[in-house]
Amino acid sequence: MKNIISIALNSWSRQKQQPVLLFDSVAAASDVAFILGGEWDGCNGVVMTKCDEVAVNTAANLVSAKWCYSGISFACLASLKSDELIKRYAAGERNFINANLRCAMLASVKLSEANLSYAKLNLANLSKADLSKVDLTAADLSEANLSGADLSQAYLVRTNLTKTDLQLADLRGANLRGANLSEVNLSHADLRGANLASSDLRGANFHFSNLSGANLTGAKFIERDLEECLRNNSI
């Protein structure tokens, strides 16, 4: 843990950014933010103007919490139950950064405009879910079921969508720059106007998908997949 913190601190110093600290529970993050005068993000993160590791460690010990820097290592939240997520969303909460929703059953749920960046949603069932304008930056959605989901105008930059089922999904205007879409099922998906620049599309299934107006600059393809893509679409 000390080595991770040291590496993270050096990286932060070079970038001259405000450090974001991640704690292993929402309650701990809230308490430490109060103790140190940081800005609690409503989930398990705390933004600090200046970071004194001795003070952070002292505060973390007081609340029996573990912590690390965001972007280098991630504190692991306990699994967030599907019904709890739905209840909190219905109450107006939108910030679920780094939430652990692995294998969650969220079919047909409404999570429009929620912040699920860095969330763990691998193997989750989000079929026919309303995820329009959702922020899924760098989230893990590998092998998830997103068939028929509404992801229009969603932010999926650097998102891991490896082997995800996106057939019949609405991805119009979605930002997928740098996303990993290898071996993804995009059959019959609507990708009109989507940004797929620098994304990994090797092994993706484009059968009857609509890529009209999509940005594919720098995207990685397997040659036969690209030929099928060009044959079925006007790009």
Side-chain angles (χ1 to χ4, degrees):
M1 188 67 179
K2 290 182 179 178
N3 290 336
I4 292 173
I5 292 172
S6 177
I7 294 169
L9 183 58
N10 291 335
S11 176
W12 164 73
S13 297
R14 289 194 301 270
Q15 297 174 18
K16 296 182 179 179
Q17 296 177 338
Q18 289 185 320
V20 179
L21 314 181
L22 296 177
F23 291 83
D24 57 0
S25 75
V26 173
S30 176
D31 290 342
V32 171
F34 177 78
I35 294 169
L36 299 179
E39 182 182 350
W40 178 44
D41 69 1
C43 193
N44 69 319
V46 177
V47 180
M48 301 292 296
T49 303
K50 294 182 180 179
C51 186
D52 180 338
E53 287 190 23
V54 174
V56 175
N57 286 328
T58 300
N61 287 334
L62 285 173
V63 297
S64 301
K66 295 180 181 179
W67 69 282
C68 62
Y69 286 96
S70 177
I72 300 298
S73 180
F74 298 100
C76 294
L77 281 171
S79 180
L80 178 60
K81 302 299 182 184
S82 300
D83 55 352
E84 181 184 352
L85 172 68
I86 294 167
K87 182 179 180 180
R88 286 164 59 178
Y89 181 88
E93 187 173 346
R94 295 293 181 269
N95 195 347
F96 303 101
I97 298 172
N98 201 45
N100 183 359
L101 289 156
R102 186 177 185 275
C103 298
M105 300 301 293
L106 294 165
S108 301
V109 73
K110 178 178 174 58
L111 291 171
S112 179
E113 300 186 48
N115 187 345
L116 286 159
S117 53
Y118 299 96
K120 296 160 186 66
L121 284 153
N122 48 315
L123 300 168
N125 183 356
L126 288 152
S127 59
K128 298 183 180 179
D130 181 357
L131 299 169
S132 56
K133 299 181 181 179
V134 73
D135 186 349
L136 285 159
T137 301
D140 183 2
L141 283 154
S142 56
E143 299 185 69
N145 181 0
L146 285 158
S147 59
D150 182 357
L151 285 152
S152 56
Q153 299 183 59
Y155 201 76
L156 295 146
V157 174
R158 304 190 315 279
T159 302
N160 182 5
L161 291 154
T162 307
K163 297 183 179 180
T164 297
D165 185 356
L166 280 162
Q167 61 179 320
L168 296 168
D170 184 352
L171 286 151
R172 289 174 297 170
N175 189 346
L176 292 135
R177 178 179 286 274
N180 187 345
L181 290 145
S182 57
E183 299 183 59
V184 71
N185 184 359
L186 286 164
S187 62
H188 298 274
D190 191 343
L191 288 142
R192 285 176 290 173
N195 183 4
L196 291 155
S198 303
S199 61
D200 187 346
L201 290 159
R202 289 174 290 188
N205 179 1
F206 293 104
H207 191 61
F208 290 114
S209 59
N210 190 337
L211 282 153
S212 299
N215 179 5
L216 292 163
T217 305
K220 299 175 183 176
F221 287 91
I222 292 175
E223 187 175 350
R224 66 175 182 273
D225 297 330
L226 179 58
E227 290 174 356
E228 179 185 353
C229 180
L230 294 173
R231 185 168 56 250
N232 293 325
N233 295 277
S234 298
I235 300 174

